[in-house]
Amino acid sequence: MPPLLSRLRWAAALAAALCAALLWLVWKAERDPRTPFLPSRAPAAWILYPTPPSALPQVAVELDTLFRRSLVLDRQPAQAMLRVAWSRRGVVTVNGTQAAASRPGGNWKTPVAVDVSRLLHPGENLIAVRSTNDFGPPAAWLSLTGDGVSLVTDESWESSLAGAVWRPARRAARPMDEWGS
C-alpha cells in the first residue's frame, strides 16, 4: 500500500474517532443524569439564584431554591401545557396547588409535562417552582404554553435560595460578575 494512502486511512480513522468522542461527550452532557450539565432547550432558559462566584471548595449540602412568577390571564385557558425540569429534584405549584413533581429515579434532564389549565383562572396566577440539589446550585427550567398563555423561565422570575432574600433569578448560561448578579 502506498504511504500516502496509508496516511489518509489513518487520518480518516482519527477523524472518525474524534467525531465519535465528541458525540459521546454531547450525549453525556445533554442526556446523562449523572453529568451536572444544564442542557439548553428552547423556549425557556435554566435559571438560578444569583450567588457571588467563589473559588473556594463548596461543601456538598442539599439546598433548595424557590422561584416564583405571577401571570395575569383574561380568561381560563382551555389548554395550558406545563413543561418543567429541575436540577435534580423539584415540585411546581400553580396557585398553591401542586401541579407537577420530579419523578423518583427519573432523569432530571427530561422535562415533566402536564396540562394545568384547570389550575389557572382569570386574573393573577402564581407559578412557584421549588428546586432541590445536593450536587450544585438548584436550577429550574419551565415552559407554560397554550390557549392565550405563554410563560418561560427567564430573569423576570424571583428567586430565594434556602429562604434568603428574594432576588431576580439569573440565567444559568449568563456569566457571573464579581457580585453574582
Side-chain angles (χ1 to χ4, degrees):
M1 176 179 322
L4 179 60
L5 188 55
S6 177
R7 285 189 205 147
L8 287 175
R9 285 186 179 162
W10 273 105
L14 180 60
L18 288 174
C19 284
L22 181 62
L23 287 173
W24 179 77
L25 285 173
V26 168
W27 180 86
K28 291 283 287 176
E30 294 284 327
R31 306 273 186 240
D32 187 354
R34 296 168 298 173
T35 304
F37 179 83
L38 302 173
S40 178
R41 180 182 297 111
W46 284 95
I47 57 172
L48 41 82
Y49 187 80
T51 56
S54 174
L56 300 174
Q58 301 297 309
V59 177
V61 62
E62 185 171 89
L63 290 174
D64 75 326
T65 298
L66 183 60
F67 301 94
R68 69 182 181 192
R69 174 94 162 35
S70 64
L71 171 69
V72 178
L73 298 174
D74 294 332
R75 59 184 171 78
Q76 182 177 20
Q79 183 269 333
M81 185 57 64
L82 173 79
R83 293 177 55 224
V84 61
W86 308 263
S87 60
R88 303 302 177 185
R89 292 173 307 287
V91 66
V92 174
T93 60
V94 176
N95 295 320
T97 301
Q98 182 174 318
S102 54
R103 297 179 212 105
N107 186 340
W108 62 270
K109 294 183 180 189
T110 303
V112 172
V114 62
D115 186 342
V116 295
S117 57
R118 64 180 175 73
L119 300 175
L120 298 169
H121 55 74
E124 186 174 14
N125 293 269
L126 181 64
I127 314 300
V129 181
R130 182 173 302 279
S131 179
T132 305
N133 193 350
D134 58 359
F135 195 68
W141 179 97
L142 179 141
S143 170
L144 176 58
T145 57
D147 181 31
V149 180
S150 180
L151 178 68
V152 296
T153 43
D154 58 19
E155 290 93 354
S156 67
W157 287 66
E158 291 182 297
S159 62
S160 173
L161 174 67
V165 64
W166 287 97
R167 296 194 52 203
R170 181 176 65 79
R171 285 179 187 252
R174 191 177 126 222
M176 290 188 283
D177 64 22
E178 61 193 57
W179 302 105
S181 59

